[in-house]
Amino acid sequence: MINYKLNINKGLWHVNFYVEEVGGKKKRKQLSTRIKAYDNYGRRINKRIADEKAKEIVSRYDGIVDSEFASWSLDKCTEYCLELNKVKMSPTTYNDYQCALNKHIKPYFKNGKPLKDIRAKDIECFCNTLIDAGKSPKTVHKMLSLIEPAFRYAEKNDFILRNPMRVVDKPSKVKKGSSYYNAEQLNKLAQAAKGSYIETPVILAMVLGLRRSEIVGITWDNVDFENRLLHIKQSVIVGDSSILPHGTYKVIGHTNSSKPKDIILKYFLKTESSERSFTMNDALYSYLKALKAEQDNLIRETNEYRDFLCVNAVGALITPDSITHHFIKLLDENELPHIRFHELRHSCISLLANNTAFSVKQVQDYAGHSDFLTTFNVYSHTDDSDKKTEMDYITSCFTNLFDSSEE
């Protein structure tokens, strides 16, 4: 037990004791027991009760190391932990969290309570503010996942007594079904994409179910025309390259923005199983052959991206973000239902998954998933017409039940 003394301050019993700081120094603490020290006649009272309360307070600090970190506002602690953990994230995730920090967390918590004084109700008020502003429960959970490491760090290093995140009431997530296109809609999209800025990315997403970063990462040396193979083994992302392990990437350019970001060629993919090869059929082979011939005769403003498939009319790389921007524009101009570009991957995999000619393993390998549950729980979808086909089969098994003929 830490040694302590009782004293009176402003008519209340206070407990005085010392805690160890980082570096071994001692720091004095004086905390109120909130117990009255005088009666109406000015006589001292409640010392025994105050002593019991003091023991309870001191016991909470037994073994606790005081730190400047716990005195920072939550936005500062969150930013510190984000920088501390950024080497564990992909550049895109790190950039996403930075935007969330600057847009929501800093404006709310800046110059607010120190971390050590924040309670669950303070965090719940933040959540309610976001909900009232029209943010989805998914966005709120994202903010909480950004805040939580600050409390975990403080708890792990004994800077705080208890982690309020353990008792925060989080809003219930509303599961949102993924949108996707059926075969008819994909045909309309293919027609609309012809000759557009993102024709090649759209074709490769529809036919191969590739991720956006995988599409941009394809270089011509990944295309083996002789053996009709297309290899997916690298990707292109935008972000801070310094957080990636040395030797696993190459910076191939920078974005044209007020805060330029690195355009990064990563020599690895999302998972090991994402690295895969496709045998090109006649349609894809002919398309890529024609694309290669067209690019060989391209008058380029830059030769930096000569090796890449996805370049624009002057030879500049089509970045992942520009794909998203132009895809929204393409859908609007052609009055097509709005889906995310990534949901072309869902659409492709769904077409395969709903065709009984292909095994579970075949579809999993085509998608580049490490397990079939991801393929079928997340990426495969069924049409309402499929349910009728299934119902036709079931009812055919019970001919007597649905026999309408009169006896």
Side-chain angles (χ1 to χ4, degrees):
M1 171 73 75
I2 298 172
N3 292 324
Y4 66 92
K5 288 183 180 180
L6 284 171
N7 73 307
I8 299 171
N9 188 6
K10 297 181 180 179
L12 298 175
W13 286 107
H14 283 65
V15 56
N16 288 272
F17 57 98
Y18 287 86
V19 294
E20 187 179 348
E21 291 183 292
V22 175
K25 292 183 179 179
K26 298 282 187 178
K27 182 176 181 180
R28 181 174 174 269
K29 289 272 188 186
Q30 178 175 273
L31 301 174
S32 174
T33 65
R34 298 185 180 181
I35 295 171
K36 286 178 64 175
Y38 298 107
D39 63 13
N40 294 336
Y41 300 100
R43 294 175 298 197
R44 287 189 179 186
I45 57 173
N46 297 331
K47 186 173 182 180
R48 184 178 296 174
I49 298 171
D51 190 59
E52 290 300 316
K53 184 66 176 178
K55 288 177 182 176
E56 180 187 326
I57 292 172
V58 169
S59 67
R60 296 176 193 167
Y61 284 83
D62 200 11
I64 295 294
V65 178
D66 199 29
S67 167
E68 185 185 352
F69 180 88
S71 300
W72 294 348
S73 57
L74 181 55
D75 63 296
K76 187 177 179 181
C77 295
T78 302
E79 188 169 26
Y80 176 84
C81 288
L82 179 60
E83 292 302 308
L84 199 66
N85 295 318
K86 70 179 183 179
V87 292
K88 303 174 186 175
M89 306 174 189
S90 72
T92 47
T93 301
Y94 173 68
N95 287 334
D96 198 26
Y97 275 153
Q98 270 194 323
C99 291
L101 176 68
N102 293 327
K103 188 174 181 180
H104 299 295
I105 296 172
K106 280 189 175 180
Y108 187 90
F109 289 105
K110 196 170 185 179
N111 301 321
K113 288 182 180 180
L115 181 80
K116 61 186 177 183
D117 293 337
I118 289 180
R119 301 292 178 261
K121 64 180 181 181
D122 300 313
I123 300 166
E124 288 167 1
C125 283
F126 171 60
C127 295
N128 292 334
T129 301
L130 292 174
I131 294 293
D132 291 343
K135 303 302 175 186
S136 67
K138 182 180 178 181
T139 299
V140 176
H141 278 259
K142 180 180 176 182
M143 297 305 120
L144 294 177
S145 68
L146 185 51
I147 288 170
E148 199 162 12
F151 288 102
R152 282 204 310 268
Y153 178 80
E155 184 182 34
K156 178 183 176 181
N157 291 283
D158 293 328
F159 298 155
I160 57 175
L161 290 171
R162 54 177 65 87
N163 184 348
M165 291 298 294
R166 297 185 188 282
V167 292
V168 167
D169 287 330
K170 301 175 183 179
S172 299
K173 282 186 179 179
V174 178
K175 187 173 182 181
K176 184 181 177 182
S178 296
S179 301
Y180 69 101
Y181 278 0
N182 57 30
E184 182 183 350
Q185 291 169 317
L186 287 172
N187 271 306
K188 289 180 181 177
L189 175 62
Q191 289 298 319
K194 280 185 178 178
S196 73
Y197 185 83
I198 55 170
E199 176 186 324
T200 299
V202 168
I203 295 296
L204 294 177
M206 286 172 46
V207 174
L208 303 178
L210 297 178
R211 301 175 179 93
R212 195 178 56 164
S213 59
E214 293 172 343
I215 292 169
V216 183
I218 300 173
T219 51
W220 285 112
D221 62 0
N222 298 146
V223 184
D224 181 353
F225 285 114
E226 184 178 346
N227 296 302
R228 291 198 170 212
L229 291 172
L230 173 60
H231 304 290
I232 309 301
K233 56 174 66 176
Q234 57 196 19
S235 61
V236 167
I237 58 172
V238 174
D240 180 1
S241 61
S242 67
I243 71 177
L244 290 169
H246 181 69
T248 63
Y249 69 93
K250 177 184 177 184
V251 176
I252 57 175
H254 299 88
T255 59
N256 296 319
S257 57
S258 55
K259 292 182 179 178
K261 296 173 185 173
D262 300 329
I263 301 174
I264 308 159
L265 175 65
K266 281 199 315 178
Y267 302 140
F268 60 94
L269 297 174
K270 187 175 181 181
T271 63
E272 281 187 27
S273 53
S274 296
E275 189 168 323
R276 57 209 188 275
S277 296
F278 294 91
T279 300
M280 292 184 282
N281 63 2
D282 290 343
L284 185 59
Y285 177 85
S286 298
Y287 178 82
L288 293 181
K289 265 287 189 183
L291 182 64
K292 182 70 167 70
E294 181 185 325
Q295 289 190 10
D296 285 343
N297 297 316
L298 197 64
I299 301 173
R300 299 172 182 263
E301 288 184 356
T302 174
N303 284 315
E304 288 184 54
Y305 306 108
R306 180 174 288 277
D307 296 334
F308 290 85
L309 268 69
C310 293
V311 294
N312 62 19
V314 293
L317 189 70
I318 299 174
T319 63
D321 289 343
S322 65
I323 289 176
T324 298
H325 172 75
H326 282 88
F327 185 65
I328 295 170
K329 192 177 176 183
L330 181 69
L331 298 185
D332 284 337
E333 289 173 349
N334 293 276
E335 298 182 348
L336 288 163
H338 264 256
I339 62 171
R340 295 179 299 132
F341 184 83
H342 186 76
E343 285 164 338
L344 292 180
R345 175 168 164 80
H346 287 251
S347 305
C348 172
I349 297 169
S350 293
L351 287 177
L352 293 175
N354 295 326
N355 189 324
T356 56
F358 305 112
S359 68
V360 171
K361 184 62 179 172
Q362 283 176 302
V363 180
Q364 178 193 334
D365 288 345
Y366 200 89
H369 288 143
S370 56
D371 66 272
F372 73 90
L373 290 176
T374 302
T375 307
F376 283 86
N377 289 339
V378 180
Y379 284 92
S380 64
H381 310 277
T382 57
D383 290 324
D384 289 337
S385 58
D386 293 332
K387 293 185 176 66
K388 182 182 180 299
T389 305
E390 291 158 359
M391 192 183 296
D392 286 342
Y393 169 72
I394 293 294
T395 54
S396 71
C397 297
F398 307 107
T399 51
N400 291 335
L401 182 63
F402 293 98
D403 186 3
S404 59
S405 59
E406 294 184 11
E407 296 192 5

